[in-house]
Amino acid sequence: MAPKAPKNTATHLRPWIASYPEGIVWDAELDTRPVHEQVLAACARNPSATALDFLGGTTSFGDLAKKIIAFAGALQRQFGVKKGSRVALMLPNTPFYPIAYYAVLRAGGTVVNCNPLYTVHELSHITESAGADVMVTLDLQQIFEKAEKLVQAGHVKSLVVCHFPDALPLVKKVLFSVVKRKDLAKLKSSPIADRISHFHTMVERGEPPTPVVIDAHNDIAVQQYTGGTTGLPKGAQLTHANIAANMSQIDKWGCGLFYPPSKVVAVLPFFHIFAMTVCMNVPLCNGTQVVMLPRFELKALLNLFERTRANVLPAVPTLLSAIARADSATAEKLASLEVAISGGAALPNEVRSAFARKSKAVLAEGYGLTEASPVVCCAALRVASKPMSIGMPLPGTDIRFVNLESNQPVGIGEDGELQVKGAQVMVAYHNEPEATEQAFMDGWLRTGDVGHMDDEGYVFLVDRIKDLIICSGFNVYPRTIEEALMNHEAVEETNVIGVPDEYRGEAPIAYVKLRDGKAVTEAQLKNFISDRVSKIEMPREIIFKDALPKTLIGKLSKKELREEYQQSKASS
């Protein structure tokens, strides 16, 4: 188990403390009560307030609590869910997700998040590794058919299926039933019909759950799979205290931002650790409304802002870029937005500047990883922060930078691997003792990210260790080249990878997507960045593409580009 951060608050050891925004204390006591207890307490405080808004259909905190409790009871009685039971959730953002999530925890079980866009092969690995006997999913055919195959293959024993139209407001429910009926799976004719239970009938039974005593610091609340870009995903085991501690850290950092009358937009998927914590757990446990979209569509998001006047938007850089570049995203439509929090990937300075021209909202870049529940650092949410910085460590979080060769801590301003200690750090990877051992160094969580801290405690990241390119013995960081290319007016997106080079060992290759209606040649782009990057950093080749591959939450992906490059060289 990773040790907790020590209580010594000496500013020479933690220079960021002196730069903390007013009112934030580093060693404030963290609330580690299990998240389901906190959300049920919030429901009891103000049962008539709106907890969830899904496409205009609303759920009050009182109704949310009733459904959580009823579903928890049904999971216990029907499936024997108890401490140690793994329950898989394969759901997009709908009211079903928070109900199922908190109900599993209330029943004593562990949530295993499954991305509905994953292939059956990827889902098979996760469910088999976790030992999840029960999966909660939707009756949308596109999603259900994957769950059905998992049951047929023996990776999951039983399904709880939610009826998608039940999540919609009345008019949309009727329209969906008429126009989109073909999108729904025919459950009665499914070859696994005898192993399907219906969510609504389980909730309607209203069976109260039996009490479960949770050991917050040892019982696993969420087993979140991560690291699939370099092999099979590993299950990061996050205790109830890990998740609650990170919620408490974010809450203190927000200085009241996540309390009513705020409304938090959940367009990022709850099955991703960033959205699970920042878009769902933190606001709901504070009695704050969450406004959901099942997926990102610009028009729907802009309509959401106009309809709900939501003021907090957790996002990934590609989403912010789409807003910044869209003519339809006017200042008037974004007028309610006060704070946008960028996470999941590095935020290019060009996107930051373009977004600032559209909205007066504070744009704060944060940083985290699944193994830290996930947030480690964040720029200030109420006041301006240093440009290009991921901000400072959250309260109760310690960080250090370690030399990549000597493994010794480096000084202020020197680049090294970012390492983390804190109450939010996972206990281990599930059934992966070697990977767990490699994930820590002297009790510090290794992030695999390279960066440094300035003398005021602001953190700056350079790149991922695995993305580092060694050119003629020199370290070349793709992000440096990407930032230079993004400054050109014709460039919409770019991604840089390292490839084998007979002379230099490795060389950078840049992939570029141009903005609509813009044109530029490879020679012109190289000339443009010649005063921004060194000769060592200059891309050997710039390849133009109509679209760049992205991960399922919208991060630009280097994995597919490396595979594409290898295939193109093999075929030639």
Side-chain angles (χ1 to χ4, degrees):
M1 180 184 297
K4 297 179 185 178
K7 280 285 185 178
N8 180 1
T9 59
T11 54
H12 71 282
L13 297 176
R14 303 184 178 99
W16 57 84
I17 293 177
S19 300
Y20 264 12
E22 186 177 353
I24 299 177
V25 179
W26 183 86
D27 58 355
E29 186 175 354
L30 301 179
D31 186 349
T32 56
R33 288 176 299 151
V35 60
H36 61 279
E37 294 181 11
Q38 293 191 46
V39 81
L40 289 172
C43 292
R45 284 195 300 270
N46 198 354
S48 62
T50 298
L52 307 171
D53 179 309
F54 180 69
L55 303 176
T58 59
T59 304
S60 71
F61 276 98
D63 285 341
L64 177 62
K66 289 176 184 175
K67 290 175 180 177
I68 291 169
I69 292 168
F71 193 48
L75 287 172
Q76 287 179 336
R77 284 168 173 75
Q78 188 169 335
F79 297 108
V81 172
K82 58 184 184 300
K83 285 174 76 165
S85 300
R86 265 57 177 176
V87 179
L89 305 185
M90 187 164 68
L91 295 164
N93 287 8
T94 59
F96 304 121
Y97 183 95
I99 294 167
Y101 176 92
Y102 297 122
V104 171
L105 300 184
R106 171 62 184 84
T110 297
V111 169
V112 178
N113 279 311
C114 294
N115 187 333
L117 298 178
Y118 274 173
T119 65
V120 173
H121 174 73
E122 291 169 314
L123 294 166
S124 296
H125 166 72
I126 291 172
T127 51
E128 187 173 19
S129 165
D133 290 339
V134 182
M135 171 176 275
V136 185
T137 190
L138 273 186
D139 60 357
L140 288 176
Q141 179 61 31
Q142 194 175 13
I143 297 173
F144 175 79
E145 64 185 8
K146 296 179 182 180
E148 185 179 58
K149 289 176 182 176
L150 291 172
V151 174
Q152 289 176 307
H155 299 302
V156 176
K157 292 180 181 177
S158 304
L159 296 183
V160 176
V161 181
C162 309
H163 185 45
F164 177 71
D166 287 347
L168 300 171
L170 182 59
V171 173
K172 289 181 180 177
K173 180 176 181 177
V174 172
L175 285 173
F176 188 95
S177 299
V178 173
V179 180
K180 297 278 192 176
R181 178 176 291 275
K182 65 181 184 301
D183 293 341
L184 295 176
K186 294 179 173 60
L187 303 185
K188 291 182 179 179
S189 59
S190 169
I192 60 159
D194 59 332
R195 284 182 275 178
I196 294 174
S197 297
H198 296 276
F199 174 85
H200 66 275
T201 58
M202 291 175 68
V203 171
E204 285 171 0
R205 289 203 296 266
E207 300 169 323
T210 56
V212 179
V213 178
I214 298 294
D215 180 348
H217 292 281
N218 291 296
D219 291 339
I220 307 303
V222 175
Q223 191 161 302
Q224 188 79 11
Y225 280 79
T226 182
T229 56
T230 55
L232 291 172
K234 301 180 289 292
Q237 294 186 311
L238 304 173
T239 66
H240 289 268
N242 289 154
I243 290 171
N246 201 226
M247 288 166 47
S248 186
Q249 292 165 325
I250 295 164
D251 183 47
K252 295 179 189 306
W253 193 251
C255 296
L257 178 65
F258 295 99
Y259 287 81
S262 283
K263 295 179 182 179
V264 178
V265 177
V267 62
L268 300 181
F270 290 142
F271 55 73
H272 189 270
I273 190 79
F274 178 27
M276 185 192 83
T277 298
V278 181
C279 298
M280 185 181 75
N281 283 340
V282 174
L284 289 180
C285 287
N286 289 333
T288 298
Q289 184 179 151
V290 173
V291 186
M292 294 176 282
L293 283 177
R295 61 183 179 276
F296 171 61
E297 291 178 348
L298 183 60
K299 183 179 179 181
L301 180 60
L302 295 176
N303 289 340
L304 179 150
F305 279 120
E306 288 191 293
R307 179 177 64 81
T308 68
R309 311 302 295 166
N311 63 316
V312 182
L313 174 66
V316 291
T318 48
L319 190 156
L320 295 169
S321 178
I323 293 173
R325 298 181 190 282
D327 292 336
S328 58
T330 62
E332 291 74 22
K333 290 188 177 180
L334 298 170
S336 66
L337 182 60
E338 296 177 14
V339 179
I341 306 168
S342 179
L347 178 64
N349 196 44
E350 191 278 335
V351 173
R352 190 190 305 266
S353 300
F355 187 84
R357 292 192 290 270
K358 281 288 179 75
S359 172
K360 295 180 180 178
V362 171
L363 176 52
E365 183 174 7
Y367 165 82
L369 62 165
T370 298
E371 293 85 346
S373 303
V375 186
V376 172
C377 295
C378 193
L381 299 179
R382 295 295 201 175
V383 293
S385 194
K386 283 192 177 181
M388 301 303 292
S389 170
I390 58 169
M392 294 171 281
L394 294 188
T397 304
D398 264 324
I399 67 168
R400 69 177 185 179
F401 290 92
V402 173
N403 185 279
L404 300 183
E405 295 178 358
S406 70
N407 290 335
Q408 295 299 309
V410 300
I412 294 294
E414 295 182 63
D415 283 341
E417 181 189 20
L418 172 59
Q419 299 185 351
V420 183
K421 272 186 184 179
Q424 72 269 51
V425 174
M426 71 169 187
V427 293
Y429 291 120
H430 178 62
N431 289 340
E432 297 262 10
E434 290 185 11
T436 300
E437 185 177 353
Q438 293 170 4
F440 291 93
M441 180 187 293
D442 303 328
W444 294 78
L445 175 67
R446 303 185 60 182
T447 68
D449 288 301
V450 180
H452 62 268
M453 181 186 295
D454 70 11
D455 56 5
E456 293 182 291
Y458 283 86
V459 180
F460 298 82
L461 289 187
V462 180
D463 227 314
R464 293 283 296 163
I465 289 176
K466 67 182 181 183
D467 294 335
L468 177 68
I469 305 168
I470 310 295
C471 296
S472 302
F474 292 93
N475 291 352
V476 172
Y477 295 102
R479 187 176 177 184
T480 302
I481 306 168
E482 290 161 357
E483 289 284 355
L485 288 166
M486 286 294 291
N487 280 303
H488 195 285
E489 63 175 5
V491 176
E492 180 172 327
E493 292 177 336
T494 182
N495 207 349
V496 174
I497 62 170
V499 301
D501 184 273
E502 290 183 6
Y503 177 66
R504 293 189 282 175
E506 282 188 297
I509 298 287
Y511 287 84
V512 169
K513 176 188 176 185
L514 298 179
R515 296 189 192 185
D516 291 342
K518 297 290 185 178
V520 65
T521 66
E522 179 180 11
Q524 288 171 331
L525 265 185
K526 286 185 175 181
N527 182 62
F528 176 79
I529 65 172
S530 62
D531 61 348
R532 292 173 169 83
V533 300
S534 68
K535 290 183 179 179
I536 290 288
E537 294 168 323
M538 181 63 70
R540 188 178 75 186
E541 184 180 2
I542 297 177
I543 300 170
F544 296 96
K545 291 178 67 70
D546 293 334
L548 298 183
K550 295 182 176 69
T551 67
L552 297 174
I553 68 157
K555 295 195 300 185
L556 289 166
S557 174
K558 297 185 189 295
K559 178 184 177 184
E560 284 80 358
L561 290 178
R562 292 188 183 107
E563 292 172 350
E564 178 182 315
Y565 186 86
Q566 289 172 356
Q567 290 170 0
S568 68
K569 290 303 172 186
S571 62
S572 62

